[in-house]
Amino acid sequence: MLPLSGERPTSNGVVCERIDSSEIVRGSSTLKRGFAHMLKNGVVMDVTTVEQAQIAEEAGAVSVMVLDKLPSEVRKAGGVARTASIRIIEEIMDSVTIPVMAKCRIGHVSEALVLQQTDVDMIDESEVLTPADELRHIWKWDFTTPFVNGARSLGEALRRVEEGAAMIRTKGEPGTGNVAEAITHIKKVNDDLRLIKAIYDSGDNQELVRMAREFKVSYDIVEQTAKIGRLPVVNFAAGGIATPADAAYLMSLGCDGIFVGSGIFNADDAKERARAIVLATTFWNESDKVKEAQKMIDERQSMIGLDVKTLELRMQDRGGSA
Amino acid sequence: MTLKVGILAIQGDVQENVLSLVKAATELKIDAEISQVMTSDEISKLDGVVIPGGESTTIGQLSLVNGSLKTLKEKIDSGMPVLGICAGMIMLSNTANDRIVGTTNQPLLNILDIKLERNSFGRQKDSFESDISLESMSIPKYRGVFIRAPAISEVGDGVEILSKFNEKIVAVKKGNVIGTAFHPELTQDTSVQKYFLNLISSLKN
């Protein structure tokens, strides 16, 4: 019972083979999007070491994302940010039972192929790394491994789904400890969804065609999305989440789950904070539990945030117009 | 008489389970109230429960925190029907071994005496769909959707094997308890949900 809007059932990533006496299919949209559905109401945590990955798993994370540097460190270091060391990804895959994700550069097909060959569970084509292709993203239908992509608006999200993304994360501004951009973008996506739903319900096909042109996607995917009134894939919030209350607020805005980047392992109380953010994500609707979670952390140990207006590098803009 | 069926809504694909059970109840013309449940209080009022797919380590730890794990165990031990799907089947088991990491000390319900292996078919790239058979449930052909699925290698006394896939056990039943390694809620076919609703109905009367 998954929405399969925009699906390309005969793409290269779909593999049919025979094992013993059984015909099996791998890489179908049901399997890729279904995997993302299993992560719902959970927290995916950015990690750089085996130790951090184990802390994340013990805290109740549904998955870990392996990076070479946390987004805030990428911001400080400058230069070109690339996919993480394969050796570290493999060590982490061997030490936790939860799914392991890794990032590749936008448009960098070979980095993605390396990650698929490494057997990571999901690939994040991410603006945190330096884009390799300013004009186009990876054609993700060619992969058996599912992808997650960032988006700041419904149009951007649907463009990624049309390219084969099995999951979306609404972009915040990574590595800032500032949740404002994430909030802005999820509200923007929600507003756009309400708008196309209203147009669909009114039966105004001409206006729906105009929206498809504005979004730079096919009419079909706009129509199917408008009909169900939500993104056809799972949508997590990401970027700048640093506290349990940040996580709970984003869940209340209708996000399916949370990505936490620098917010946990840049804080001095990583272990407690990891646990607290998981609790607040699960029990976001119970204010006493969110308060208990918030009490587990010490604001004096939160990462120092950055004002998004003064940033020289806005990662969220990367790949956004493509 | 209304059947009260809950989906444990701690983490995982809760909504898909709600939708497919509603569809199954409608097709069966059974009067059922399908709801998401989180607390001990909500669980204690149910006639049947589904533990959905998700991450078993997360579901286990968080249901331990809010006390729902204990209530679930008491209710299931006293006869409430349960359908554990993928992570849910792991939750029903008495020990969980990961294919790579080995024995995990995650919180479990300790209800089914089975030898279970997590991520038994491999990582996500090895997730697959294939036709399977559930003969003893009178479902000869069923589309199995296996996502980082667990599998069972041995079952203890009284545990009935419902289905095998290439020698690995992928569905079991013991009285009021059903576990599947695959995801019935991700297909259009509601045969498994119908079987479960009928089981709840027969045990309630």
Side-chain angles (χ1 to χ4, degrees), chain A residues 36 122 140 147-154 156-162 164-171 186 189 231-238 256-257 259:
Chain A
M122 186 171 240
K140 291 163 276 283
F147 276 74
V148 55
N149 273 90
R152 292 170 304 177
S153 64
L154 181 58
E156 199 176 340
L158 292 180
R159 290 200 289 279
R160 299 294 86 84
V161 174
E162 276 203 324
M167 179 175 178
I168 293 293
R169 48 176 176 73
T170 39
K171 292 180 189 171
I186 185 67
V189 170
L231 277 177
V233 298
V234 165
N235 180 28
F236 273 38
D256 294 314
F259 278 91

PDB file of all heavy atoms in Angstrom, chain A residues 36 122 140 147-154 156-162 164-171 186 189 231-238 256-257 259:
ATOM      1  N   ALA A  36      12.601   3.121   3.335  1.00  0.00           N
ATOM      2  CA  ALA A  36      12.478   4.439   3.973  1.00  0.00           C
ATOM      3  C   ALA A  36      11.301   4.468   4.953  1.00  0.00           C
ATOM      4  O   ALA A  36      11.376   5.093   6.010  1.00  0.00           O
ATOM      5  CB  ALA A  36      12.324   5.526   2.912  1.00  0.00           C
ATOM      6  N   MET A 122      21.622   2.970   2.241  1.00  0.00           N
ATOM      7  CA  MET A 122      21.018   4.084   1.509  1.00  0.00           C
ATOM      8  C   MET A 122      22.107   5.096   1.195  1.00  0.00           C
ATOM      9  O   MET A 122      23.038   5.279   1.981  1.00  0.00           O
ATOM     10  CB  MET A 122      19.897   4.715   2.352  1.00  0.00           C
ATOM     11  CG  MET A 122      19.102   5.790   1.634  1.00  0.00           C
ATOM     12  SD  MET A 122      17.636   6.294   2.582  1.00  0.00           S
ATOM     13  CE  MET A 122      16.321   5.905   1.437  1.00  0.00           C
ATOM     14  N   LYS A 140      18.908   8.209 -10.411  1.00  0.00           N
ATOM     15  CA  LYS A 140      18.950   7.220  -9.331  1.00  0.00           C
ATOM     16  C   LYS A 140      18.210   5.923  -9.663  1.00  0.00           C
ATOM     17  O   LYS A 140      18.368   4.913  -8.972  1.00  0.00           O
ATOM     18  CB  LYS A 140      18.404   7.878  -8.046  1.00  0.00           C
ATOM     19  CG  LYS A 140      19.372   8.946  -7.524  1.00  0.00           C
ATOM     20  CD  LYS A 140      18.762   9.910  -6.542  1.00  0.00           C
ATOM     21  CE  LYS A 140      18.034  11.073  -7.172  1.00  0.00           C
ATOM     22  NZ  LYS A 140      18.916  12.150  -7.693  1.00  0.00           N
ATOM     23  N   PHE A 147      18.103   5.935  -2.646  1.00  0.00           N
ATOM     24  CA  PHE A 147      18.720   7.250  -2.393  1.00  0.00           C
ATOM     25  C   PHE A 147      17.795   8.124  -1.567  1.00  0.00           C
ATOM     26  O   PHE A 147      16.574   8.051  -1.678  1.00  0.00           O
ATOM     27  CB  PHE A 147      18.947   7.993  -3.722  1.00  0.00           C
ATOM     28  CG  PHE A 147      20.220   7.634  -4.435  1.00  0.00           C
ATOM     29  CD1 PHE A 147      20.352   6.425  -5.091  1.00  0.00           C
ATOM     30  CD2 PHE A 147      21.285   8.534  -4.468  1.00  0.00           C
ATOM     31  CE1 PHE A 147      21.515   6.099  -5.759  1.00  0.00           C
ATOM     32  CE2 PHE A 147      22.454   8.218  -5.143  1.00  0.00           C
ATOM     33  CZ  PHE A 147      22.580   7.002  -5.789  1.00  0.00           C
ATOM     34  N   VAL A 148      18.419   9.014  -0.793  1.00  0.00           N
ATOM     35  CA  VAL A 148      17.697  10.124  -0.169  1.00  0.00           C
ATOM     36  C   VAL A 148      18.309  11.412  -0.709  1.00  0.00           C
ATOM     37  O   VAL A 148      19.502  11.471  -0.957  1.00  0.00           O
ATOM     38  CB  VAL A 148      17.767  10.053   1.384  1.00  0.00           C
ATOM     39  CG1 VAL A 148      19.192   9.985   1.903  1.00  0.00           C
ATOM     40  CG2 VAL A 148      17.020  11.218   2.029  1.00  0.00           C
ATOM     41  N   ASN A 149      17.442  12.407  -0.955  1.00  0.00           N
ATOM     42  CA  ASN A 149      17.900  13.702  -1.458  1.00  0.00           C
ATOM     43  C   ASN A 149      17.319  14.833  -0.618  1.00  0.00           C
ATOM     44  O   ASN A 149      16.245  14.690  -0.047  1.00  0.00           O
ATOM     45  CB  ASN A 149      17.431  13.921  -2.904  1.00  0.00           C
ATOM     46  CG  ASN A 149      18.389  13.334  -3.920  1.00  0.00           C
ATOM     47  OD1 ASN A 149      18.255  12.178  -4.310  1.00  0.00           O
ATOM     48  ND2 ASN A 149      19.365  14.112  -4.341  1.00  0.00           N
ATOM     49  N   GLY A 150      17.993  15.959  -0.624  1.00  0.00           N
ATOM     50  CA  GLY A 150      17.485  17.144   0.070  1.00  0.00           C
ATOM     51  C   GLY A 150      16.577  17.959  -0.839  1.00  0.00           C
ATOM     52  O   GLY A 150      16.664  17.870  -2.065  1.00  0.00           O
ATOM     53  N   ALA A 151      15.674  18.738  -0.234  1.00  0.00           N
ATOM     54  CA  ALA A 151      14.813  19.631  -1.012  1.00  0.00           C
ATOM     55  C   ALA A 151      14.359  20.789  -0.132  1.00  0.00           C
ATOM     56  O   ALA A 151      14.213  20.632   1.073  1.00  0.00           O
ATOM     57  CB  ALA A 151      13.596  18.878  -1.542  1.00  0.00           C
ATOM     58  N   ARG A 152      14.163  21.952  -0.748  1.00  0.00           N
ATOM     59  CA  ARG A 152      13.679  23.118   0.000  1.00  0.00           C
ATOM     60  C   ARG A 152      12.242  23.478  -0.354  1.00  0.00           C
ATOM     61  O   ARG A 152      11.655  24.378   0.228  1.00  0.00           O
ATOM     62  CB  ARG A 152      14.558  24.337  -0.295  1.00  0.00           C
ATOM     63  CG  ARG A 152      15.965  24.231   0.246  1.00  0.00           C
ATOM     64  CD  ARG A 152      16.803  25.336  -0.304  1.00  0.00           C
ATOM     65  NE  ARG A 152      16.756  25.297  -1.757  1.00  0.00           N
ATOM     66  CZ  ARG A 152      17.340  26.166  -2.546  1.00  0.00           C
ATOM     67  NH1 ARG A 152      17.991  27.191  -2.029  1.00  0.00           N
ATOM     68  NH2 ARG A 152      17.272  26.048  -3.855  1.00  0.00           N
ATOM     69  N   SER A 153      11.719  22.806  -1.387  1.00  0.00           N
ATOM     70  CA  SER A 153      10.361  23.124  -1.822  1.00  0.00           C
ATOM     71  C   SER A 153       9.769  21.869  -2.443  1.00  0.00           C
ATOM     72  O   SER A 153      10.490  20.895  -2.713  1.00  0.00           O
ATOM     73  CB  SER A 153      10.399  24.237  -2.864  1.00  0.00           C
ATOM     74  OG  SER A 153      11.090  23.764  -4.005  1.00  0.00           O
ATOM     75  N   LEU A 154       8.469  21.913  -2.699  1.00  0.00           N
ATOM     76  CA  LEU A 154       7.823  20.745  -3.299  1.00  0.00           C
ATOM     77  C   LEU A 154       8.383  20.461  -4.691  1.00  0.00           C
ATOM     78  O   LEU A 154       8.612  19.302  -5.058  1.00  0.00           O
ATOM     79  CB  LEU A 154       6.310  20.964  -3.356  1.00  0.00           C
ATOM     80  CG  LEU A 154       5.490  19.813  -3.934  1.00  0.00           C
ATOM     81  CD1 LEU A 154       5.713  18.530  -3.147  1.00  0.00           C
ATOM     82  CD2 LEU A 154       4.011  20.164  -3.955  1.00  0.00           C
ATOM     83  N   GLU A 156      11.371  21.063  -5.895  1.00  0.00           N
ATOM     84  CA  GLU A 156      12.691  20.431  -5.786  1.00  0.00           C
ATOM     85  C   GLU A 156      12.538  18.967  -5.354  1.00  0.00           C
ATOM     86  O   GLU A 156      13.199  18.077  -5.895  1.00  0.00           O
ATOM     87  CB  GLU A 156      13.543  21.218  -4.776  1.00  0.00           C
ATOM     88  CG  GLU A 156      15.039  20.967  -4.891  1.00  0.00           C
ATOM     89  CD  GLU A 156      15.857  21.842  -3.925  1.00  0.00           C
ATOM     90  OE1 GLU A 156      15.344  22.875  -3.446  1.00  0.00           O
ATOM     91  OE2 GLU A 156      17.015  21.477  -3.657  1.00  0.00           O
ATOM     92  N   ALA A 157      11.641  18.716  -4.409  1.00  0.00           N
ATOM     93  CA  ALA A 157      11.415  17.347  -3.930  1.00  0.00           C
ATOM     94  C   ALA A 157      10.916  16.449  -5.064  1.00  0.00           C
ATOM     95  O   ALA A 157      11.414  15.340  -5.262  1.00  0.00           O
ATOM     96  CB  ALA A 157      10.414  17.350  -2.779  1.00  0.00           C
ATOM     97  N   LEU A 158       9.954  16.943  -5.847  1.00  0.00           N
ATOM     98  CA  LEU A 158       9.392  16.111  -6.923  1.00  0.00           C
ATOM     99  C   LEU A 158      10.405  15.900  -8.047  1.00  0.00           C
ATOM    100  O   LEU A 158      10.412  14.847  -8.693  1.00  0.00           O
ATOM    101  CB  LEU A 158       8.095  16.733  -7.457  1.00  0.00           C
ATOM    102  CG  LEU A 158       6.911  16.718  -6.483  1.00  0.00           C
ATOM    103  CD1 LEU A 158       5.683  17.367  -7.118  1.00  0.00           C
ATOM    104  CD2 LEU A 158       6.577  15.303  -6.007  1.00  0.00           C
ATOM    105  N   ARG A 159      11.281  16.908  -8.272  1.00  0.00           N
ATOM    106  CA  ARG A 159      12.340  16.693  -9.280  1.00  0.00           C
ATOM    107  C   ARG A 159      13.238  15.535  -8.849  1.00  0.00           C
ATOM    108  O   ARG A 159      13.614  14.688  -9.646  1.00  0.00           O
ATOM    109  CB  ARG A 159      13.170  17.973  -9.467  1.00  0.00           C
ATOM    110  CG  ARG A 159      12.404  19.089 -10.157  1.00  0.00           C
ATOM    111  CD  ARG A 159      13.326  20.144 -10.761  1.00  0.00           C
ATOM    112  NE  ARG A 159      14.010  20.976  -9.780  1.00  0.00           N
ATOM    113  CZ  ARG A 159      13.471  22.036  -9.166  1.00  0.00           C
ATOM    114  NH1 ARG A 159      12.214  22.373  -9.409  1.00  0.00           N
ATOM    115  NH2 ARG A 159      14.169  22.749  -8.307  1.00  0.00           N
ATOM    116  N   ARG A 160      13.541  15.488  -7.565  1.00  0.00           N
ATOM    117  CA  ARG A 160      14.387  14.395  -7.060  1.00  0.00           C
ATOM    118  C   ARG A 160      13.638  13.054  -7.141  1.00  0.00           C
ATOM    119  O   ARG A 160      14.234  12.036  -7.476  1.00  0.00           O
ATOM    120  CB  ARG A 160      14.807  14.674  -5.616  1.00  0.00           C
ATOM    121  CG  ARG A 160      15.628  15.950  -5.399  1.00  0.00           C
ATOM    122  CD  ARG A 160      17.001  15.927  -6.056  1.00  0.00           C
ATOM    123  NE  ARG A 160      16.968  16.356  -7.446  1.00  0.00           N
ATOM    124  CZ  ARG A 160      17.014  17.626  -7.852  1.00  0.00           C
ATOM    125  NH1 ARG A 160      17.076  18.611  -6.985  1.00  0.00           N
ATOM    126  NH2 ARG A 160      17.004  17.921  -9.142  1.00  0.00           N
ATOM    127  N   VAL A 161      12.354  13.034  -6.826  1.00  0.00           N
ATOM    128  CA  VAL A 161      11.589  11.777  -6.893  1.00  0.00           C
ATOM    129  C   VAL A 161      11.540  11.292  -8.343  1.00  0.00           C
ATOM    130  O   VAL A 161      11.693  10.101  -8.621  1.00  0.00           O
ATOM    131  CB  VAL A 161      10.166  11.951  -6.317  1.00  0.00           C
ATOM    132  CG1 VAL A 161       9.328  10.694  -6.527  1.00  0.00           C
ATOM    133  CG2 VAL A 161      10.224  12.272  -4.822  1.00  0.00           C
ATOM    134  N   GLU A 162      11.386  12.228  -9.283  1.00  0.00           N
ATOM    135  CA  GLU A 162      11.367  11.834 -10.704  1.00  0.00           C
ATOM    136  C   GLU A 162      12.693  11.249 -11.161  1.00  0.00           C
ATOM    137  O   GLU A 162      12.743  10.453 -12.086  1.00  0.00           O
ATOM    138  CB  GLU A 162      11.023  13.044 -11.589  1.00  0.00           C
ATOM    139  CG  GLU A 162       9.538  13.275 -11.700  1.00  0.00           C
ATOM    140  CD  GLU A 162       9.150  14.052 -12.956  1.00  0.00           C
ATOM    141  OE1 GLU A 162       9.929  14.949 -13.355  1.00  0.00           O
ATOM    142  OE2 GLU A 162       8.093  13.753 -13.525  1.00  0.00           O
ATOM    143  N   GLY A 164      14.371   9.394  -9.203  1.00  0.00           N
ATOM    144  CA  GLY A 164      14.480   8.081  -8.550  1.00  0.00           C
ATOM    145  C   GLY A 164      14.742   8.115  -7.059  1.00  0.00           C
ATOM    146  O   GLY A 164      14.975   7.061  -6.460  1.00  0.00           O
ATOM    147  N   ALA A 165      14.723   9.291  -6.421  1.00  0.00           N
ATOM    148  CA  ALA A 165      14.935   9.327  -4.972  1.00  0.00           C
ATOM    149  C   ALA A 165      13.815   8.561  -4.269  1.00  0.00           C
ATOM    150  O   ALA A 165      12.651   8.706  -4.611  1.00  0.00           O
ATOM    151  CB  ALA A 165      14.978  10.759  -4.458  1.00  0.00           C
ATOM    152  N   ALA A 166      14.181   7.732  -3.281  1.00  0.00           N
ATOM    153  CA  ALA A 166      13.200   6.924  -2.545  1.00  0.00           C
ATOM    154  C   ALA A 166      12.797   7.604  -1.249  1.00  0.00           C
ATOM    155  O   ALA A 166      11.919   7.115  -0.535  1.00  0.00           O
ATOM    156  CB  ALA A 166      13.789   5.548  -2.241  1.00  0.00           C
ATOM    157  N   MET A 167      13.438   8.722  -0.961  1.00  0.00           N
ATOM    158  CA  MET A 167      13.175   9.428   0.304  1.00  0.00           C
ATOM    159  C   MET A 167      13.648  10.864   0.130  1.00  0.00           C
ATOM    160  O   MET A 167      14.571  11.127  -0.640  1.00  0.00           O
ATOM    161  CB  MET A 167      13.970   8.735   1.419  1.00  0.00           C
ATOM    162  CG  MET A 167      13.843   9.339   2.792  1.00  0.00           C
ATOM    163  SD  MET A 167      14.751   8.276   3.960  1.00  0.00           S
ATOM    164  CE  MET A 167      14.529   9.175   5.475  1.00  0.00           C
ATOM    165  N   ILE A 168      12.983  11.777   0.823  1.00  0.00           N
ATOM    166  CA  ILE A 168      13.358  13.193   0.771  1.00  0.00           C
ATOM    167  C   ILE A 168      13.666  13.650   2.192  1.00  0.00           C
ATOM    168  O   ILE A 168      13.073  13.176   3.151  1.00  0.00           O
ATOM    169  CB  ILE A 168      12.200  14.042   0.177  1.00  0.00           C
ATOM    170  CG1 ILE A 168      11.974  13.701  -1.303  1.00  0.00           C
ATOM    171  CG2 ILE A 168      12.454  15.541   0.354  1.00  0.00           C
ATOM    172  CD1 ILE A 168      13.101  14.084  -2.244  1.00  0.00           C
ATOM    173  N   ARG A 169      14.634  14.542   2.306  1.00  0.00           N
ATOM    174  CA  ARG A 169      14.776  15.257   3.584  1.00  0.00           C
ATOM    175  C   ARG A 169      14.687  16.730   3.252  1.00  0.00           C
ATOM    176  O   ARG A 169      15.367  17.213   2.346  1.00  0.00           O
ATOM    177  CB  ARG A 169      16.074  14.901   4.308  1.00  0.00           C
ATOM    178  CG  ARG A 169      17.292  14.966   3.421  1.00  0.00           C
ATOM    179  CD  ARG A 169      18.588  14.701   4.141  1.00  0.00           C
ATOM    180  NE  ARG A 169      19.647  14.703   3.132  1.00  0.00           N
ATOM    181  CZ  ARG A 169      20.101  15.790   2.533  1.00  0.00           C
ATOM    182  NH1 ARG A 169      19.634  16.976   2.866  1.00  0.00           N
ATOM    183  NH2 ARG A 169      21.023  15.712   1.597  1.00  0.00           N
ATOM    184  N   THR A 170      13.807  17.428   3.926  1.00  0.00           N
ATOM    185  CA  THR A 170      13.730  18.864   3.670  1.00  0.00           C
ATOM    186  C   THR A 170      15.002  19.484   4.229  1.00  0.00           C
ATOM    187  O   THR A 170      15.412  19.197   5.346  1.00  0.00           O
ATOM    188  CB  THR A 170      12.482  19.489   4.306  1.00  0.00           C
ATOM    189  OG1 THR A 170      12.274  18.891   5.574  1.00  0.00           O
ATOM    190  CG2 THR A 170      11.266  19.250   3.452  1.00  0.00           C
ATOM    191  N   LYS A 171      15.633  20.304   3.406  1.00  0.00           N
ATOM    192  CA  LYS A 171      16.937  20.860   3.776  1.00  0.00           C
ATOM    193  C   LYS A 171      16.767  21.951   4.823  1.00  0.00           C
ATOM    194  O   LYS A 171      15.872  22.775   4.736  1.00  0.00           O
ATOM    195  CB  LYS A 171      17.587  21.533   2.565  1.00  0.00           C
ATOM    196  CG  LYS A 171      18.020  20.637   1.441  1.00  0.00           C
ATOM    197  CD  LYS A 171      18.631  21.521   0.351  1.00  0.00           C
ATOM    198  CE  LYS A 171      18.916  20.778  -0.928  1.00  0.00           C
ATOM    199  NZ  LYS A 171      19.290  21.691  -2.014  1.00  0.00           N
ATOM    200  N   ILE A 186      10.125  23.076   5.575  1.00  0.00           N
ATOM    201  CA  ILE A 186       9.038  22.107   5.723  1.00  0.00           C
ATOM    202  C   ILE A 186       7.696  22.827   5.604  1.00  0.00           C
ATOM    203  O   ILE A 186       6.749  22.313   5.007  1.00  0.00           O
ATOM    204  CB  ILE A 186       9.153  21.280   7.038  1.00  0.00           C
ATOM    205  CG1 ILE A 186       8.071  20.201   7.103  1.00  0.00           C
ATOM    206  CG2 ILE A 186       9.034  22.129   8.291  1.00  0.00           C
ATOM    207  CD1 ILE A 186       8.193  19.125   6.094  1.00  0.00           C
ATOM    208  N   VAL A 189       7.088  23.360   1.898  1.00  0.00           N
ATOM    209  CA  VAL A 189       6.633  22.130   1.243  1.00  0.00           C
ATOM    210  C   VAL A 189       5.157  21.866   1.586  1.00  0.00           C
ATOM    211  O   VAL A 189       4.351  21.563   0.705  1.00  0.00           O
ATOM    212  CB  VAL A 189       7.511  20.920   1.651  1.00  0.00           C
ATOM    213  CG1 VAL A 189       6.908  19.610   1.169  1.00  0.00           C
ATOM    214  CG2 VAL A 189       8.918  21.075   1.092  1.00  0.00           C
ATOM    215  N   LEU A 231       3.813  14.074  -0.061  1.00  0.00           N
ATOM    216  CA  LEU A 231       4.876  13.593  -0.930  1.00  0.00           C
ATOM    217  C   LEU A 231       4.709  12.084  -1.126  1.00  0.00           C
ATOM    218  O   LEU A 231       4.322  11.383  -0.195  1.00  0.00           O
ATOM    219  CB  LEU A 231       6.238  13.855  -0.292  1.00  0.00           C
ATOM    220  CG  LEU A 231       6.846  15.243  -0.469  1.00  0.00           C
ATOM    221  CD1 LEU A 231       8.168  15.319   0.294  1.00  0.00           C
ATOM    222  CD2 LEU A 231       7.102  15.536  -1.943  1.00  0.00           C
ATOM    223  N   PRO A 232       4.993  11.572  -2.334  1.00  0.00           N
ATOM    224  CA  PRO A 232       4.838  10.136  -2.546  1.00  0.00           C
ATOM    225  C   PRO A 232       5.917   9.302  -1.855  1.00  0.00           C
ATOM    226  O   PRO A 232       5.843   8.074  -1.876  1.00  0.00           O
ATOM    227  CB  PRO A 232       4.919   9.983  -4.070  1.00  0.00           C
ATOM    228  CG  PRO A 232       5.520  11.231  -4.581  1.00  0.00           C
ATOM    229  CD  PRO A 232       5.308  12.305  -3.570  1.00  0.00           C
ATOM    230  N   VAL A 233       6.913   9.949  -1.279  1.00  0.00           N
ATOM    231  CA  VAL A 233       7.952   9.218  -0.533  1.00  0.00           C
ATOM    232  C   VAL A 233       8.036   9.799   0.883  1.00  0.00           C
ATOM    233  O   VAL A 233       7.519  10.880   1.152  1.00  0.00           O
ATOM    234  CB  VAL A 233       9.340   9.298  -1.208  1.00  0.00           C
ATOM    235  CG1 VAL A 233       9.315   8.672  -2.587  1.00  0.00           C
ATOM    236  CG2 VAL A 233       9.833  10.737  -1.282  1.00  0.00           C
ATOM    237  N   VAL A 234       8.718   9.055   1.754  1.00  0.00           N
ATOM    238  CA  VAL A 234       8.908   9.488   3.134  1.00  0.00           C
ATOM    239  C   VAL A 234       9.709  10.791   3.172  1.00  0.00           C
ATOM    240  O   VAL A 234      10.632  10.980   2.387  1.00  0.00           O
ATOM    241  CB  VAL A 234       9.649   8.364   3.909  1.00  0.00           C
ATOM    242  CG1 VAL A 234      10.205   8.863   5.227  1.00  0.00           C
ATOM    243  CG2 VAL A 234       8.711   7.193   4.131  1.00  0.00           C
ATOM    244  N   ASN A 235       9.330  11.685   4.083  1.00  0.00           N
ATOM    245  CA  ASN A 235      10.002  12.983   4.175  1.00  0.00           C
ATOM    246  C   ASN A 235      10.493  13.249   5.595  1.00  0.00           C
ATOM    247  O   ASN A 235       9.699  13.382   6.510  1.00  0.00           O
ATOM    248  CB  ASN A 235       9.027  14.084   3.735  1.00  0.00           C
ATOM    249  CG  ASN A 235       9.649  15.455   3.795  1.00  0.00           C
ATOM    250  OD1 ASN A 235      10.867  15.598   3.657  1.00  0.00           O
ATOM    251  ND2 ASN A 235       8.836  16.465   4.015  1.00  0.00           N
ATOM    252  N   PHE A 236      11.813  13.321   5.761  1.00  0.00           N
ATOM    253  CA  PHE A 236      12.399  13.643   7.063  1.00  0.00           C
ATOM    254  C   PHE A 236      12.808  15.116   7.086  1.00  0.00           C
ATOM    255  O   PHE A 236      12.961  15.731   6.032  1.00  0.00           O
ATOM    256  CB  PHE A 236      13.646  12.773   7.316  1.00  0.00           C
ATOM    257  CG  PHE A 236      13.348  11.422   7.939  1.00  0.00           C
ATOM    258  CD1 PHE A 236      12.236  10.691   7.578  1.00  0.00           C
ATOM    259  CD2 PHE A 236      14.209  10.878   8.896  1.00  0.00           C
ATOM    260  CE1 PHE A 236      11.970   9.445   8.148  1.00  0.00           C
ATOM    261  CE2 PHE A 236      13.962   9.639   9.479  1.00  0.00           C
ATOM    262  CZ  PHE A 236      12.839   8.926   9.108  1.00  0.00           C
ATOM    263  N   ALA A 237      13.000  15.656   8.274  1.00  0.00           N
ATOM    264  CA  ALA A 237      13.547  17.008   8.414  1.00  0.00           C
ATOM    265  C   ALA A 237      15.049  16.901   8.654  1.00  0.00           C
ATOM    266  O   ALA A 237      15.516  15.931   9.243  1.00  0.00           O
ATOM    267  CB  ALA A 237      12.890  17.721   9.584  1.00  0.00           C
ATOM    268  N   ALA A 238      15.793  17.887   8.185  1.00  0.00           N
ATOM    269  CA  ALA A 238      17.245  17.860   8.379  1.00  0.00           C
ATOM    270  C   ALA A 238      17.807  19.268   8.423  1.00  0.00           C
ATOM    271  O   ALA A 238      17.210  20.200   7.898  1.00  0.00           O
ATOM    272  CB  ALA A 238      17.905  17.077   7.244  1.00  0.00           C
ATOM    273  N   ASP A 256       8.226  12.948   8.797  1.00  0.00           N
ATOM    274  CA  ASP A 256       8.161  11.525   9.127  1.00  0.00           C
ATOM    275  C   ASP A 256       9.278  11.099  10.072  1.00  0.00           C
ATOM    276  O   ASP A 256       9.259   9.996  10.610  1.00  0.00           O
ATOM    277  CB  ASP A 256       8.246  10.684   7.849  1.00  0.00           C
ATOM    278  CG  ASP A 256       7.027  10.892   6.950  1.00  0.00           C
ATOM    279  OD1 ASP A 256       5.901  10.877   7.488  1.00  0.00           O
ATOM    280  OD2 ASP A 256       7.191  11.059   5.734  1.00  0.00           O
ATOM    281  N   GLY A 257      10.287  11.957  10.248  1.00  0.00           N
ATOM    282  CA  GLY A 257      11.416  11.614  11.103  1.00  0.00           C
ATOM    283  C   GLY A 257      12.460  12.707  11.002  1.00  0.00           C
ATOM    284  O   GLY A 257      12.217  13.746  10.377  1.00  0.00           O
ATOM    285  N   PHE A 259      16.759  13.878  10.712  1.00  0.00           N
ATOM    286  CA  PHE A 259      18.207  13.675  10.552  1.00  0.00           C
ATOM    287  C   PHE A 259      18.906  14.659  11.484  1.00  0.00           C
ATOM    288  O   PHE A 259      18.596  15.852  11.452  1.00  0.00           O
ATOM    289  CB  PHE A 259      18.649  14.029   9.134  1.00  0.00           C
ATOM    290  CG  PHE A 259      18.425  12.949   8.119  1.00  0.00           C
ATOM    291  CD1 PHE A 259      17.248  12.890   7.388  1.00  0.00           C
ATOM    292  CD2 PHE A 259      19.407  12.003   7.861  1.00  0.00           C
ATOM    293  CE1 PHE A 259      17.041  11.907   6.433  1.00  0.00           C
ATOM    294  CE2 PHE A 259      19.207  11.018   6.903  1.00  0.00           C
ATOM    295  CZ  PHE A 259      18.030  10.968   6.188  1.00  0.00           C
TER     296      PHE A 259
END
